[in-house]
Amino acid sequence: MDDYPLLNLFLTMMYVFLWVLWFFLLFKVVTDVFQDHSLGGWAKAAWVIFVIVLPYVGVFVYLIARGKGMGRREAEQAREREAAFKQYVKQAARDEGGTDTGTGHVSDLAKLADLKDRGHLSQEEYEKAKRKLLV
């Protein structure tokens, strides 16, 4: 360790960090190119070739030219994912409970059992309501 000064170690760590950061930017740009539906096939090919042949210049030009749209597309995709997730949760709750309120068969059975325990329902009424609920 004596032959490798602390400053060189710091610089090496910084170069590795910048290298990883560069690859992150490169992958982000390439995925944005392919996820952008407004670009045609030739435009996508041109951007990818530009980024591969002149990587530093290509990425910086892409960020300058299309950076604002890149942020909008990312926000729109996040909204779409959130809406799809909410729709999935509503559908799962509806499938579980049979209603949009999210109360499932379990809570309805618990209410019936509570009514029976309090004496508001007879055993026959309880069984009849339970069969009706489970069918």
Side-chain angles (χ1 to χ4, degrees), residues 1-116:
M1 190 74 180
D2 293 333
D3 58 341
Y4 200 71
L6 185 61
L7 181 61
N8 286 352
L9 179 65
F10 174 73
L11 288 175
T12 302
M13 287 174 34
M14 187 180 70
Y15 290 146
V16 168
F17 172 75
L18 289 175
W19 186 68
V20 169
L21 181 67
W22 172 252
F23 274 108
F24 175 77
L25 268 175
L26 184 66
F27 292 142
K28 187 73 174 164
V29 165
V30 170
T31 55
D32 185 64
V33 165
F34 286 110
Q35 289 179 350
D36 186 6
H37 300 296
S38 66
L39 284 177
W42 289 106
K44 289 179 182 184
W47 274 114
V48 169
I49 289 171
F50 187 42
V51 167
I52 289 173
V53 172
L54 298 171
Y56 293 106
V57 175
V59 167
F60 290 132
V61 168
Y62 186 85
L63 290 176
I64 291 168
R66 300 182 51 85
K68 188 180 283 188
M70 195 173 171
R72 277 195 301 261
R73 283 185 295 279
E74 186 72 28
E76 180 63 31
Q77 287 174 354
R79 280 192 294 275
E80 288 173 3
R81 283 191 299 266
E82 183 177 357
F85 176 73
K86 286 181 179 180
Q87 181 64 29
Y88 170 75
V89 168
K90 285 181 183 178
Q91 183 65 38
R94 191 175 304 120
D95 289 345
E96 169 66 25
T99 62
D100 288 337
T101 61
T103 59
H105 293 305
V106 175
S107 63
D108 292 339
L109 286 172
K111 289 177 188 175
L112 281 175
D114 185 46
L115 287 172
K116 185 184 79 117

Side-chain angles (χ1 to χ4, degrees), residues 110-122 125-126:
K111 289 177 188 175
L112 281 175
D114 185 46
L115 287 172
K116 185 184 79 117
D117 291 341
R118 290 184 185 179
H120 297 293
L121 290 176
S122 67
E125 292 172 328
Y126 172 73

